[in-house]
Amino acid sequence: MNKIGITALVPPELIFACGAAPFDVNNVIPASRKYPGNKLCAWTAIWKEMLIKKEITVDSLIVVAGGDCHNALVDGQKAAMSGIPTHFFFYPFDGDLEYLESQLHRLSGFLGGIRSPEVLKKIQELKKQGQMLDKKRCRGKLSSAEAFRILISFSDLTGDLAGFSRAISALEEKDIDVRNRVALIGVPPIYHDFHEVAQTLGLHIVFDELPYEFIRHGGCDIKEMARDYCGYTFAMPLESRIDFLKKELRKRKVDAVIHYTQFACHHMLEDEVLREKLDYPLLTIQGDLPGNTPQQIKLRLEAFREMLDRL
Amino acid sequence: MIGLDLGSTAAKMVWIESGEIKFRITPAHNWKELVEGIDGDEIISTGYFRNSVPHRASLTELTAAVYGVRHYFPDAEVIVDIGGQDTKVIDVRNNNFIINDKCSAGTGAFLEFVANYFRIGLEELGPMHLNARRIPDINNTCGVFALSEMISQLVGGYSKEEVIAGMHYAFARRISHMVPEARSIVLIGGTVKNEGMVAALRNILEKEVLIPDEPQIINALGALEYYS
Ligand code: SF4
């Protein structure tokens, strides 16, 4: 089975259906302890370096460029120049269904066409289970760290449907003391222990914005996928994303919001709008290099918790 | 019960005796002397090393600042805590805070750097500033690069006093970017003893700047008040 690197959300069901296994190149980064030489955002810089040095080996690469990240567009081209067959995938900004459908057809063409349509139903089933997990941690029946570990892996379903299904089944229910219900919005933190740290400091993360996108979309054919993935909030205008967030935050009865931003990432520019439009106590943090959650970030989380306790 | 603020440069201890606030301050590495004979159960700790000392309870310096400042200024809107390694701005009205701990410009470390360059004590910066007749423009927002600007102003004919005043203004401008709209701000932290820096801040912020009597012990006092 060909291993296909992806740099952000690309419908993994389509890759599986084309008989290949997706591999989200971001998922190795938080625990990588890599400090890249030439960088803006550490996420793209690290996967680019690891791909070029063949520390991550893939048969080909899909770079999500349009509607997502320009750093990825440039670093993706550098990876392509090293000889990796690379395809650039673009989301429409304006929700143009036909455009997304044509992008999915082009992607399917790059991957050699759909060969195993039967996996599509199976993946839909797994995503339903993902949604159940998400609900469980919201009710305090699952730790946010365990839930996050599974949810973030829905971008590529670890490239192994049977193994991933087993990992989901292995999760055990718990009773978690959920006091400060926090939504984590923005790109995921680059620190591998962030959810554990938040939990020990008394913050229970009941919503992970981006991983939620991973379990929310799907489809049993290209038409359905196009319809579904058109609502991928990170590629849409900010106002639609905020409307969506407002609904989710209300539904999950969150007390506060943490906006994680990444050094040199354009999403930082959204912070002031999010602060203005989301009517919750909001803590903005910024990360740079991978590893453990640094002391400075812990201080902010703890002070934020103390502030919530005072409200 | 005592409040202990163990920061990156100094350790401050506060206790109440017959209704009066008493305190002691030592360099951070001597903190053990400060608490000699005091049971951990008697200590409410705060500051960067709050969890490295025995304590009954600990809290972050941000929360401690809110409680400590409230003692002197119950209606405080915004607190600016200029520490040795970072600067924190707390908007008490909406429980918001910003911390600059990425860049030395706008922290006590920057002023120490300037004092070292001129081979003078940190406490001399303030009085020297007050003797400046002109204030050169130092625009660099990076502490290290500001040094080369400082040298070129000296070469260009400005006096030591004037260049120090220019540095205080650069420092104040840096902090002003972090301060939200408010009627007044309360300044705390050891650096606040530098009257040149305070003068620059007053000028740049164009707000009422309130300073408690002992700005350095506010967080230790806040830790104590938080617990009582
Ligand atoms: S964090 Fe921002 S800059 Fe980095 S890969 Fe993600 S979207 Fe791109």
Coordinates of all heavy atoms in Angstrom, one line a residue, chain A residues 65-111:
Chain A
A65 N -2.7 23.6 0.1 CA -2.2 24.9 -0.1 C -3.3 26.0 -0.1 O -3.4 26.8 0.8 CB -1.5 25.0 -1.5
G66 N -4.2 25.9 -1.0 CA -5.3 26.9 -1.0 C -6.2 26.8 0.1 O -6.6 25.7 0.6
G67 N -6.6 27.9 0.7 CA -7.6 28.0 1.8 C -7.0 27.5 3.1 O -7.7 27.3 4.0
D68 N -5.7 27.3 3.1 CA -5.1 26.9 4.4 C -3.9 27.6 4.8 O -3.9 28.6 5.5 CB -4.9 25.4 4.3 CG -4.7 24.8 5.7 OD1 -3.7 25.1 6.4 OD2 -5.6 24.1 6.2
C69 N -2.7 27.3 4.1 CA -1.5 27.8 4.7 C -0.5 28.1 3.6 O -0.1 27.2 2.9 CB -1.0 26.8 5.7 SG 0.6 27.1 6.3
H70 N 0.0 29.3 3.6 CA 1.0 29.7 2.6 C 2.4 29.2 2.9 O 3.3 29.0 2.1 CB 1.0 31.2 2.3 CG -0.1 31.5 1.3 ND1 -1.4 31.4 1.6 CD2 -0.1 31.8 0.0 CE1 -2.1 31.7 0.6 NE2 -1.4 31.9 -0.4
N71 N 2.7 29.1 4.2 CA 3.9 28.5 4.6 C 4.1 27.1 4.1 O 5.1 26.6 3.6 CB 4.1 28.5 6.1 CG 4.3 29.8 6.7 OD1 4.6 30.8 6.0 ND2 4.2 30.0 8.0
A72 N 2.9 26.3 4.1 CA 2.9 25.0 3.6 C 3.1 25.0 2.1 O 3.8 24.1 1.6 CB 1.6 24.3 4.0
L73 N 2.6 25.9 1.5 CA 2.7 26.0 0.0 C 4.2 26.1 -0.4 O 4.6 25.4 -1.3 CB 1.9 27.2 -0.5 CG 1.9 27.4 -2.0 CD1 1.4 26.2 -2.8 CD2 1.2 28.7 -2.4
V74 N 4.9 27.0 0.3 CA 6.3 27.1 0.0 C 7.2 25.9 0.4 O 7.9 25.4 -0.3 CB 6.9 28.5 0.6 CG1 8.4 28.6 0.3 CG2 6.1 29.7 0.1
D75 N 7.0 25.5 1.7 CA 7.8 24.4 2.2 C 7.4 23.1 1.4 O 8.3 22.2 1.2 CB 7.6 24.2 3.7 CG 8.6 25.2 4.5 OD1 9.6 25.6 3.9 OD2 8.3 25.5 5.6
G76 N 6.2 23.0 1.0 CA 5.7 21.9 0.2 C 6.5 21.8 -1.1 O 6.9 20.8 -1.6
Q77 N 6.7 23.0 -1.7 CA 7.4 23.0 -3.0 C 8.9 22.6 -2.8 O 9.5 22.0 -3.7 CB 7.3 24.4 -3.6 CG 5.9 24.8 -4.1 CD 5.8 26.2 -4.6 OE1 6.3 26.5 -5.8 NE2 5.3 27.1 -3.8
K78 N 9.4 23.1 -1.6 CA 10.8 22.7 -1.4 C 10.9 21.1 -1.2 O 11.9 20.5 -1.7 CB 11.3 23.3 -0.1 CG 11.5 24.8 -0.2 CD 12.1 25.4 1.1 CE 12.1 26.9 1.1 NZ 12.4 27.4 2.5
A79 N 9.9 20.5 -0.6 CA 9.9 19.1 -0.5 C 9.8 18.5 -1.8 O 10.5 17.5 -2.2 CB 8.8 18.6 0.5
A80 N 8.9 19.1 -2.7 CA 8.7 18.5 -4.0 C 10.0 18.6 -4.8 O 10.4 17.7 -5.6 CB 7.6 19.4 -4.7
M81 N 10.8 19.7 -4.6 CA 12.1 19.8 -5.4 C 13.1 18.8 -5.0 O 14.0 18.5 -5.7 CB 12.7 21.2 -5.1 CG 11.9 22.3 -5.9 SD 12.6 23.9 -5.3 CE 11.2 25.0 -5.8
S82 N 12.9 18.2 -3.8 CA 13.8 17.1 -3.4 C 13.5 15.8 -4.1 O 14.2 14.8 -3.9 CB 13.8 16.9 -1.9 OG 12.7 16.2 -1.5
G83 N 12.4 15.8 -4.9 CA 12.2 14.6 -5.7 C 10.9 13.8 -5.3 O 10.6 12.8 -5.9
I84 N 10.2 14.3 -4.3 CA 9.0 13.6 -3.8 C 7.8 13.9 -4.8 O 7.6 15.1 -4.9 CB 8.6 14.0 -2.4 CG1 9.8 13.7 -1.4 CG2 7.4 13.2 -1.9 CD1 9.6 14.2 0.0
P85 N 7.2 13.0 -5.4 CA 6.0 13.3 -6.2 C 5.0 14.0 -5.4 O 4.6 13.5 -4.3 CB 5.5 11.9 -6.7 CG 6.6 11.0 -6.4 CD 7.4 11.5 -5.3
T86 N 4.6 15.2 -5.8 CA 3.8 16.1 -4.9 C 2.6 16.6 -5.7 O 2.7 17.0 -6.8 CB 4.6 17.3 -4.4 OG1 5.8 16.7 -3.7 CG2 3.8 18.1 -3.4
H87 N 1.5 16.6 -5.0 CA 0.2 17.2 -5.5 C -0.2 18.3 -4.6 O -0.2 18.2 -3.4 CB -0.8 16.1 -5.6 CG -2.2 16.5 -6.1 ND1 -2.4 16.7 -7.4 CD2 -3.3 16.9 -5.4 CE1 -3.7 17.1 -7.6 NE2 -4.2 17.3 -6.4
F88 N -0.7 19.4 -5.2 CA -1.2 20.6 -4.4 C -2.7 20.6 -4.4 O -3.3 20.6 -5.5 CB -0.5 21.9 -4.9 CG 0.9 21.9 -4.7 CD1 1.8 21.3 -5.6 CD2 1.4 22.4 -3.5 CE1 3.2 21.3 -5.4 CE2 2.8 22.4 -3.3 CZ 3.7 21.9 -4.2
F89 N -3.2 20.6 -3.2 CA -4.7 20.5 -3.1 C -5.2 21.9 -2.6 O -4.7 22.5 -1.7 CB -5.0 19.4 -2.1 CG -6.5 19.2 -1.9 CD1 -7.2 18.4 -2.8 CD2 -7.2 19.7 -0.8 CE1 -8.6 18.2 -2.7 CE2 -8.5 19.5 -0.6 CZ -9.2 18.7 -1.6
F90 N -6.3 22.4 -3.2 CA -6.8 23.7 -2.9 C -8.3 23.6 -2.4 O -9.1 23.1 -3.2 CB -6.7 24.6 -4.1 CG -5.3 25.0 -4.5 CD1 -4.6 24.1 -5.2 CD2 -4.7 26.2 -4.1 CE1 -3.2 24.4 -5.6 CE2 -3.4 26.4 -4.5 CZ -2.7 25.5 -5.2
Y91 N -8.6 24.2 -1.3 CA -9.9 24.3 -0.9 C -10.5 25.7 -1.4 O -9.7 26.6 -1.5 CB -10.1 24.4 0.7 CG -10.0 23.1 1.3 CD1 -8.8 22.7 1.9 CD2 -11.1 22.2 1.4 CE1 -8.7 21.4 2.6 CE2 -11.0 21.0 2.1 CZ -9.8 20.6 2.6 OH -9.7 19.4 3.3
P92 N -11.7 25.7 -1.7 CA -12.3 27.0 -2.2 C -12.6 27.9 -1.0 O -13.0 27.4 0.1 CB -13.6 26.6 -2.9 CG -14.0 25.4 -2.2 CD -12.8 24.7 -1.8
F93 N -12.3 29.2 -1.1 CA -12.6 30.1 0.0 C -14.0 30.4 0.0 O -14.6 30.7 1.1 CB -11.7 31.4 -0.3 CG -12.0 32.5 0.7 CD1 -11.6 32.3 2.1 CD2 -12.6 33.7 0.4 CE1 -11.8 33.3 3.0 CE2 -12.8 34.7 1.3 CZ -12.4 34.5 2.6
D94 N -14.7 30.4 -1.1 CA -16.1 30.8 -1.2 C -17.1 29.7 -1.2 O -18.3 29.9 -1.5 CB -16.3 31.7 -2.5 CG -15.9 30.9 -3.7 OD1 -15.5 29.7 -3.6 OD2 -16.0 31.4 -4.8
G95 N -16.6 28.5 -0.8 CA -17.5 27.4 -0.7 C -18.0 26.8 -2.0 O -19.1 26.2 -2.1
D96 N -17.3 27.1 -3.1 CA -17.7 26.7 -4.4 C -17.6 25.2 -4.5 O -16.6 24.6 -4.6 CB -16.8 27.4 -5.4 CG -17.2 27.0 -6.9 OD1 -17.9 26.0 -7.1 OD2 -16.8 27.8 -7.8
L97 N -18.8 24.6 -4.6 CA -18.9 23.1 -4.5 C -18.3 22.5 -5.8 O -17.6 21.5 -5.7 CB -20.4 22.8 -4.5 CG -20.8 21.5 -3.8 CD1 -20.5 21.5 -2.4 CD2 -22.3 21.2 -4.0
E98 N -18.6 23.0 -6.9 CA -18.0 22.5 -8.2 C -16.5 22.5 -8.2 O -15.8 21.5 -8.6 CB -18.5 23.3 -9.4 CG -19.8 22.7 -9.9 CD -20.4 23.6 -11.0 OE1 -19.6 24.1 -11.8 OE2 -21.6 23.8 -11.0
Y99 N -16.0 23.6 -7.6 CA -14.5 23.7 -7.6 C -13.9 22.6 -6.7 O -13.0 21.9 -7.1 CB -14.1 25.1 -7.0 CG -12.7 25.3 -6.9 CD1 -11.9 25.6 -8.0 CD2 -12.0 25.1 -5.6 CE1 -10.5 25.8 -7.8 CE2 -10.7 25.3 -5.5 CZ -9.9 25.6 -6.6 OH -8.5 25.8 -6.5
L100 N -14.5 22.4 -5.5 CA -14.0 21.4 -4.6 C -14.1 20.0 -5.2 O -13.2 19.2 -5.1 CB -14.7 21.4 -3.2 CG -14.1 20.5 -2.2 CD1 -12.6 20.7 -2.0 CD2 -14.8 20.7 -0.8
E101 N -15.3 19.8 -5.9 CA -15.5 18.5 -6.6 C -14.3 18.2 -7.6 O -13.8 17.2 -7.7 CB -16.8 18.5 -7.2 CG -17.4 17.1 -7.3 CD -18.8 17.1 -7.9 OE1 -19.7 17.9 -7.5 OE2 -19.0 16.3 -8.9
S102 N -14.0 19.3 -8.4 CA -13.0 19.1 -9.4 C -11.6 18.9 -8.7 O -10.8 18.1 -9.2 CB -12.9 20.3 -10.3 OG -12.3 21.4 -9.7
Q103 N -11.4 19.5 -7.6 CA -10.2 19.3 -6.8 C -10.1 17.8 -6.4 O -9.0 17.2 -6.4 CB -10.1 20.2 -5.6 CG -9.6 21.6 -5.9 CD -8.2 21.7 -6.3 OE1 -7.3 21.1 -5.7 NE2 -7.9 22.4 -7.4
L104 N -11.2 17.3 -5.9 CA -11.2 15.9 -5.4 C -11.0 15.0 -6.6 O -10.3 13.9 -6.4 CB -12.5 15.6 -4.7 CG -12.7 16.4 -3.3 CD1 -14.1 16.2 -2.8 CD2 -11.7 15.9 -2.3
H105 N -11.6 15.3 -7.7 CA -11.3 14.4 -8.9 C -9.9 14.4 -9.3 O -9.3 13.4 -9.6 CB -12.2 14.9 -10.1 CG -13.6 14.3 -10.0 ND1 -13.9 13.0 -10.1 CD2 -14.8 14.9 -9.8 CE1 -15.2 12.8 -9.9 NE2 -15.8 14.0 -9.8
R106 N -9.3 15.6 -9.3 CA -7.9 15.7 -9.6 C -7.0 14.9 -8.7 O -6.0 14.2 -9.0 CB -7.4 17.2 -9.6 CG -7.9 17.9 -10.9 CD -7.3 19.3 -10.9 NE -5.8 19.2 -10.9 CZ -5.1 20.2 -10.5 NH1 -5.6 21.3 -10.0 NH2 -3.8 20.1 -10.5
L107 N -7.4 15.0 -7.4 CA -6.6 14.3 -6.3 C -6.8 12.8 -6.6 O -5.8 12.0 -6.5 CB -7.2 14.7 -5.0 CG -6.6 13.9 -3.8 CD1 -5.1 14.1 -3.7 CD2 -7.2 14.4 -2.5
S108 N -8.0 12.4 -6.9 CA -8.2 11.0 -7.1 C -7.4 10.5 -8.3 O -6.8 9.4 -8.3 CB -9.7 10.7 -7.3 OG -10.0 9.6 -8.0
G109 N -7.3 11.4 -9.3 CA -6.5 11.1 -10.5 C -5.0 10.9 -10.1 O -4.4 9.9 -10.6
F110 N -4.5 11.8 -9.3 CA -3.1 11.7 -8.9 C -2.9 10.4 -8.2 O -1.8 9.9 -8.3 CB -2.9 12.9 -7.9 CG -1.5 12.9 -7.3 CD1 -0.3 13.2 -8.0 CD2 -1.4 12.6 -5.9 CE1 0.9 13.2 -7.4 CE2 -0.1 12.6 -5.3 CZ 1.0 12.9 -6.1
L111 N -3.9 9.9 -7.4 CA -3.7 8.7 -6.6 C -4.0 7.4 -7.4 O -4.0 6.3 -6.9 CB -4.5 8.8 -5.4 CG -4.2 9.9 -4.4 CD1 -5.2 10.0 -3.3 CD2 -2.8 9.6 -3.7

